Amino acid sequence: MKIGDPQVPAKPPNKVSSAYILWLGCLLQLNGLHRIYNGKIITGLIWLGTFGLFGVGQLIDLFLLPRMVDDYNTKLRTKMGLSPYGVPLVQPAFVTNVIKPSHEQLMVKLVRAAAKRGGKISVTQGVMDTGASFTEVESTLKDMLKTGYVGIDNDPNTGVIIYTFLEM
């Protein structure tokens, strides 16, 4: 499973307000919690052991905190495969190359489609059953007409050209 899949809960981004609350830990002699929260573990431990670099580092972090949170959230989005704006960097791949059946395979598909319809088929029905284009189906049916396998007629109600397979 990958991060971003519906089954894997994604970690919510850090909040500046939470980081400021952790920064206030300095009042309880817990300096550097805000750095650990934002993924800066080594410097967070240094701040913890040196009382925030003797208060100077802790005071500077008061102004650097929003940028620190933004940097952490950007790294988190990158790990999840998202741009800094939350747009997926990798799009799913789709196959665009469709293998077309040969002329003979298309003829066999048209025969089977006509067999389901009592030996009669229109071009549109052939397209629906074979997945080939209108041009391919029509030219294949006309070739079959020239060889004598198929007869041609019009539907009495709609006037649509119907190809009749004579041996069915």
Side-chain angles (χ1 to χ4, degrees), residues 6-29:
Q7 302 92 339
V8 179
K11 182 184 180 304
N14 283 0
K15 296 180 181 176
V16 176
S17 59
S18 299
Y20 274 118
I21 291 170
L22 291 172
W23 181 89
L24 286 173
C26 68
L27 300 175
L28 301 172
Q29 304 294 320

Side-chain angles (χ1 to χ4, degrees), residues 84-96:
Y85 305 107
V87 177
L89 295 172
V90 179
Q91 299 294 329
F94 293 100
V95 177
T96 58

Side-chain angles (χ1 to χ4, degrees), residues 27-167:
L27 300 175
L28 301 172
Q29 304 294 320
L30 295 172
N31 299 294
L33 294 179
H34 62 284
R35 286 189 159 266
I36 294 171
Y37 175 69
N38 286 305
K40 298 182 180 290
I41 308 236
I42 302 296
T43 58
L45 293 174
I46 292 171
W47 258 240
L48 191 60
T50 62
F51 301 106
L53 288 178
F54 308 107
V56 176
Q58 192 76 14
L59 186 62
I60 292 171
D61 281 354
L62 180 64
F63 301 102
L64 298 179
L65 211 46
R67 176 65 182 204
M68 202 181 299
V69 171
D70 286 341
D71 289 345
Y72 177 80
N73 288 338
T74 300
K75 288 178 186 174
L76 181 65
R77 283 188 197 100
T78 303
K79 283 183 183 177
M80 292 172 45
L82 302 172
S83 75
Y85 305 107
V87 177
L89 295 172
V90 179
Q91 299 294 329
F94 293 100
V95 177
T96 58
N97 213 6
V98 178
I99 300 172
K100 295 183 180 180
S102 69
H103 192 66
E104 288 77 23
Q105 290 171 332
L106 184 55
M107 283 183 180
V108 171
K109 286 183 177 184
L110 288 170
V111 169
R112 288 188 179 140
K116 292 179 192 175
R117 291 181 165 83
K120 297 181 179 191
I121 192 169
S122 69
V123 174
T124 304
Q125 292 167 337
V127 168
M128 289 173 28
D129 287 351
T130 64
S133 70
F134 281 92
T135 307
E136 291 172 323
V137 170
E138 188 173 28
S139 67
T140 303
L141 286 170
K142 285 181 181 178
D143 289 345
M144 295 171 83
L145 178 66
K146 291 176 189 173
T147 58
Y149 293 118
V150 176
I152 192 167
D153 199 8
N154 287 75
D155 185 279
N157 297 328
T158 63
V160 173
I161 296 174
I162 302 292
Y163 293 88
T164 306
F165 285 75
L166 303 173
E167 296 178 6

